[in-house]
């Protein structure tokens, strides 16, 4: 599978939100919230943007404290992490004010422990440096942050990541797959994935294994009939394309694809 970045509709909504935050009227309202179900590409898309924008990308930990966060940020920025929390905050603030580098916090739910003490520190840094801060979290994070009025008032934009559309999956298959997928099979990739881009990538990889076994340059529905392309962990059953009779070609590939999972 090719290594390329696919610009999905979630990416378009995210970048529009970033632009709105950067053009905000109130300087202190520089926070943006990205939320959605697992597998919709939140971390992947925001990480790609962070690299392009020169942003600092941190993943929150369950045991983060305000000082722990400051130390992690200092290490990422290659700043001396020693001293008191106040001394460290001062060094970080000076650096962020000078560079104006945006800050991304993934798994931001972990910043809400102990009455959102860590997120309050992040808000303080954002307020004083007037930099953009992107928080990434799961579906319920918005209502959890809403309980903290001082923080909630700083969020200028909220972007909800939604399931990938058929158009998104079509672009992903065209850009990433090293073999051609027929339109019917692309539609099945979309259906089987449930719109989760993480699952789309796994299914493409499974299809490519079938293509390699059978030396195919184009893969259609019949070629993967009966082949487990995905797995339903709740029902404990494999997911396959919605076709009838399994072909001999797909039968030969089934064992190898299953073994390569």
């Amino acid at each position: 599978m090719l290594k390329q970045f696919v610009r999905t509709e979630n990416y378009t909504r995210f970048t529009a939100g970033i632009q709105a935050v950067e053009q905000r009227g109130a300087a202190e309202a520089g926070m943006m919230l990205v939320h959605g179900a697992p597998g919709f590409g939140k971390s992947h898309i925001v990480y790609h943007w962070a690299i392009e924008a020169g942003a600092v990308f941190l993943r929150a930990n369950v045991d983060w404290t305000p000082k722990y966060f400051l130390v992690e940020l200092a290490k990422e920025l290659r700043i001396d992490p020693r001293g008191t929390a106040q001394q460290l905050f001062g060094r970080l603030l000076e650096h962020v004010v000078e560079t104006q580098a945006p800050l991304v916090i993934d798994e931001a739910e972990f910043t809400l422990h102990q009455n959102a003490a860590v997120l309050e520190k992040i808000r303080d840094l954002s307020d004083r440096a007037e930099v953009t801060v992107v928080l990434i979290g799961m579906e319920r994070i918005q209502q959890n942050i809403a309980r903290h009025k001082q923080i909630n008032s700083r969020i200028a934009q909220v972007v909800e990541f939604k399931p990938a559309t058929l158009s998104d999956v079509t672009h992903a298959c065209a850009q990433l797959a090293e073999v051609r997928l027929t339109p019917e099979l692309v539609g099945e990739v979309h259906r089987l994935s449930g719109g989760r881009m993480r699952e789309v990538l796994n299914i493409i990889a499974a299809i490519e294994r079938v293509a390699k076994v059978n030396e195919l340059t184009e893969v259609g529905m019949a070629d993967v009939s009966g082949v487990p392309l995905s797995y339903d962990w709740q029902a404990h059953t494999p997911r396959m394309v919605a076709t009838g009779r399994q072909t001999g070609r797909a039968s030969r590939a089934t064992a190898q694809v299953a073994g390569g999972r």
Side-chain angles (χ1 to χ4, degrees):
M1 188 161 55
L2 300 175
K3 301 295 183 182
Q4 295 186 32
F5 181 76
V6 181
R7 284 173 166 76
T8 62
E9 292 184 17
N10 281 327
Y11 172 81
T12 301
R13 282 194 294 272
F14 169 74
T15 52
I18 284 290
Q19 186 176 16
V21 173
E22 291 175 345
Q23 295 175 352
R24 64 189 181 273
E28 71 277 8
M31 302 180 80
M32 174 176 174
L33 178 62
V34 173
H35 69 94
F40 286 174
K42 301 183 298 296
S43 298
H44 179 68
I45 286 175
V46 180
Y47 183 74
H48 177 83
W49 168 81
I51 293 175
E52 290 188 333
V56 181
F57 190 102
L58 293 177
R59 181 170 286 108
N61 295 326
V62 66
D63 55 349
W64 258 16
T65 63
K67 177 67 179 292
Y68 189 176
F69 155 67
L70 294 175
V71 170
E72 290 289 290
L73 181 57
K75 289 179 180 178
E76 189 69 23
L77 294 174
R78 298 182 180 179
I79 291 174
D80 183 2
R82 295 173 297 180
T84 65
Q86 184 177 5
Q87 292 169 335
L88 183 51
F89 184 85
R91 287 197 296 272
L92 287 168
L93 179 59
E94 182 179 356
H95 178 88
V96 175
V97 167
E98 180 181 351
T99 62
Q100 285 295 292
L103 175 62
V104 177
I105 306 294
D106 197 5
E107 299 190 18
E109 288 86 359
F110 294 139
T111 67
L112 294 172
H113 297 331
Q114 298 180 337
N115 200 30
V118 175
L119 193 49
E120 283 286 2
K121 186 61 66 176
I122 295 169
R123 177 199 61 79
D124 195 15
L125 186 64
S126 174
D127 277 4
R128 298 194 189 191
E130 298 183 359
V131 294
T132 297
V133 172
V134 179
L135 306 172
I136 308 173
M138 302 292 282
E139 301 101 313
R140 296 177 60 86
I141 191 171
Q142 185 175 8
Q143 65 188 74
N144 292 335
I145 290 178
R147 299 170 186 163
H148 306 277
K149 304 302 182 184
Q150 184 80 342
I151 299 170
N152 193 56
S153 64
R154 261 64 174 185
I155 296 179
Q157 289 288 315
V158 177
V159 176
E160 179 184 1
F161 270 46
K162 300 178 180 180
T165 64
L166 177 58
S167 177
D168 290 334
V169 174
T170 300
H171 290 316
C173 291
Q175 289 182 229
L176 303 178
E178 297 188 54
V179 293
R180 184 180 179 275
L181 278 61
T182 63
E184 293 80 11
L185 183 53
V186 171
E188 279 296 280
V189 174
H190 179 245
R191 182 185 69 83
L192 292 173
S193 70
R196 296 181 296 275
M197 285 303 295
R198 185 182 302 160
E199 195 67 10
V200 169
L201 302 183
N202 290 335
I203 294 172
I204 291 175
I207 291 171
E208 287 184 334
R209 288 195 291 272
V210 172
K212 184 176 181 179
V213 168
N214 296 285
E215 300 181 348
L216 302 174
T217 57
E218 178 177 281
V219 184
M221 296 282 283
D223 298 309
V224 293
S225 176
V227 178
L229 298 180
S230 180
Y231 195 81
D232 186 333
W233 295 104
Q234 292 183 327
H236 303 290
T237 57
R239 294 191 180 106
M240 304 179 224
V241 296
T243 59
R245 188 165 51 89
Q246 180 170 322
T247 67
R249 176 189 290 172
S251 299
R252 293 194 302 273
T254 302
Q256 178 133 355
V257 172
R261 288 181 60 83

